[in-house]
Amino acid sequence: MRKALAIVVTVALAAAAVLAEDYLAPPQEAGYLGNVEYDGRIVFFRIRFDTGFGPGFGRARGSRGEPPWAHDYPTSDTHLMKILKELTVAEPRIDGSNVFRLDDPAMFDFPIAYMSEPGYWTMSDEEAKGLRQYLLKGGFIIFDDFRQNDLYNLEEQMKRVLPDARWVELPHDHSVFNSFFEIKNFDFGYYGKETYYGIFENNDPKKRLLAVAGHNQDLGEFWEFSDTGMMPVDLSNEAYKFGVNFFIYALTH
């Protein structure tokens, strides 16, 4: 009996070690694609973060767990870049996307960052410093795929990045919603009433928008499944409009 128990414990510990390795290892070692090399072109840059819930936390997909930061990765990333390439004069890479932590200096080569599920986001002091420098040097960040009380964690984490910054609700006529498409449909929130918030440079709405957050929205889900028939075509089209506009705004401001 003791021998059987010892075997069970050993297997359980081994399984926990595998989960920890999958969660904490670089993306290419955890079943994710590797990053593409910098060549001056636009690349979809996704932020990787810890959750504070421990190794292995996340939604199951296939044989491995999928942490919150990786939701819809990598299909949504490359799908959006394909649409950006087809419809605009931008020249994004469509053969892959990049994943970096916020303390990785390589992220400064890519001016637009995307974070999925910021309701679970935690970071070190070095990561907070990295994001602060990134935004103040001209970077732009998109927060997506969060709902309800997730907003409180996003606010708390951003206070560590920019202590004096204030989130404000973005009016529908703001230039970020008209930088390429004139967006009219703001009522297809994935989890309820959809609201977009932003942080401006020096808290001045006349200056550059540093961050945009779609509360009760999940654009990445529409991007990922847009070619599967699982999502209505008209709503997928609306989601792409937001993504294209965010990139064009960031590239021109």
Side-chain angles (χ1 to χ4, degrees):
M1 181 69 175
R2 289 183 178 178
K3 183 177 180 181
L5 180 60
I7 292 173
V8 170
V9 171
T10 301
V11 171
L13 290 174
V18 170
L19 285 173
E21 183 181 356
D22 283 353
Y23 187 73
L24 298 175
Q28 63 269 27
E29 296 178 14
Y32 297 97
L33 302 179
N35 290 341
V36 297
E37 294 183 4
Y38 176 72
D39 65 1
R41 285 183 288 172
I42 302 163
V43 178
F44 192 106
F45 155 34
R46 178 182 289 260
I47 297 170
R48 180 168 174 258
F49 60 85
D50 294 323
T51 65
F53 287 92
F57 173 80
R59 182 191 310 165
R61 175 171 291 187
S63 61
R64 297 172 182 263
E66 181 186 65
W69 64 263
H71 287 181
D72 310 311
Y73 170 89
T75 308
S76 66
D77 310 14
T78 53
H79 276 185
L80 178 60
M81 293 300 94
K82 288 177 181 178
I83 294 295
L84 187 70
K85 183 178 178 65
E86 287 292 325
L87 298 181
T88 75
V89 296
E91 283 295 329
R93 293 191 65 158
I94 61 175
D95 58 338
S97 62
N98 284 347
V99 177
F100 299 113
R101 287 187 176 275
L102 290 169
D103 57 358
D104 190 333
M107 73 180 188
F108 286 87
D109 288 332
F110 307 95
I112 303 165
Y114 172 91
M115 180 183 290
S116 176
E117 294 274 16
Y120 298 102
W121 174 30
T122 65
M123 61 181 163
S124 67
D125 290 341
E126 282 302 307
E127 288 174 311
K129 178 181 177 182
L131 181 54
R132 182 184 312 116
Q133 293 176 337
Y134 179 83
L135 296 175
L136 295 181
K137 287 178 178 290
F140 181 79
I141 185 168
I142 302 163
F143 294 102
D144 185 36
D145 192 2
F146 68 105
R147 75 290 306 156
Q148 301 172 359
N149 292 339
D150 290 346
L151 182 61
Y152 300 141
N153 185 63
L154 173 58
E155 291 174 334
E156 287 302 312
Q157 296 303 321
M158 284 303 291
K159 284 180 182 178
R160 299 177 57 198
V161 177
L162 298 170
D164 297 326
R166 298 193 306 271
W167 287 101
V168 296
E169 185 173 344
L170 295 174
H172 293 174
D173 62 353
H174 187 271
S175 57
V176 75
F177 301 124
N178 297 278
S179 58
F180 188 82
F181 293 102
E182 292 185 5
I183 295 177
K184 303 297 183 184
N185 185 359
F186 290 86
D187 192 27
F188 71 109
Y190 205 67
Y191 302 103
K193 185 181 184 299
E194 171 189 350
T195 308
Y196 279 90
Y197 297 95
I199 291 177
F200 290 92
E201 188 175 24
N202 298 327
N203 292 317
D204 185 348
K206 296 180 181 178
K207 293 187 177 181
R208 181 174 67 92
L209 188 63
L210 307 180
V212 62
H215 186 227
N216 289 326
Q217 181 56 285
D218 188 353
L219 299 175
E221 192 87 350
F222 290 102
W223 302 338
E224 179 182 15
F225 294 107
S226 61
D227 64 344
T228 66
M230 292 177 60
M231 296 293 187
V233 173
D234 55 342
L235 296 188
S236 294
N237 288 342
E238 294 301 314
Y240 278 126
K241 289 179 183 179
F242 280 89
V244 169
N245 274 27
F246 292 160
F247 268 76
I248 295 300
Y249 175 89
L251 292 170
T252 55
H253 290 74

